[in-house]
Amino acid sequence: MRALKRDVEDAVKLIVERGPQLFHSRKVIDGAVEIVKRFRGRSRKYHYKSIAAAALYISGILCDEKRTQREIARIIGCSDASLRYVYVNIVKELKIPLLDEKWIEELLKSQEGMDG
């Protein structure tokens, strides 16, 4: 359990630190953090860097701030192949509709309601 919590914390830290290097907006970064948190229980078999990269990639697509897989992988420090592998699994596991632009907004609104 401890390792799982640390992986999620490390992925979030990486997103917050390196997301701005990709010139992503705060919305993309916050969305990626929320994706990581929701993927928490299913993330055991993936490296935290791959999870962070995949979450940024997905959030960027949903917010129409796309970056290439290679570009994200280079900044995060993982291979684009591992980003792709984790990305596919996150989309399947969380049932993320990549063509629905409102999904990330609803995700963030639901998080705001939980926080305060």
Side-chain angles (χ1 to χ4, degrees):
M1 185 72 172
R2 178 96 173 114
L4 178 61
K5 183 177 179 188
R6 178 153 184 253
D7 284 349
V8 170
E9 290 171 358
D10 289 345
V12 167
K13 183 178 176 184
L14 204 53
I15 289 167
V16 171
E17 286 177 358
R18 299 195 185 161
Q21 293 176 30
L22 293 160
F23 302 103
H24 274 313
S25 69
R26 188 81 223 161
K27 183 178 177 182
V28 173
I29 292 169
D30 290 347
V33 167
E34 189 58 29
I35 288 168
V36 168
K37 288 179 180 177
R38 292 198 179 211
F39 193 62
R40 167 180 268 155
R42 303 167 186 112
S43 63
R44 281 198 177 113
K45 60 184 176 182
Y46 308 111
H47 194 274
Y48 74 94
K49 288 183 178 182
S50 301
I51 295 169
L56 276 169
Y57 182 70
I58 293 166
S59 188
I61 290 170
L62 292 169
C63 294
D64 201 28
E65 293 183 35
K66 299 174 186 131
R67 305 295 183 267
T68 65
Q69 292 175 355
R70 182 167 289 169
E71 185 179 11
I72 293 170
R74 184 180 55 78
I75 294 292
I76 295 297
C78 69
S79 71
D80 49 333
S82 65
L83 181 159
R84 240 182 332 276
Y85 178 73
V86 176
Y87 149 72
V88 168
N89 285 292
I90 289 175
V91 169
K92 284 180 185 176
E93 287 287 324
L94 298 183
K95 296 177 175 61
I96 298 174
L98 287 180
L99 299 177
D100 185 359
E101 299 166 2
K102 294 181 182 179
W103 190 86
I104 198 76
E105 290 173 18
E106 291 171 12
L107 177 72
L108 292 173
K109 283 181 187 174
S110 71
Q111 180 60 27
E112 288 171 6
M114 295 168 81
D115 287 342

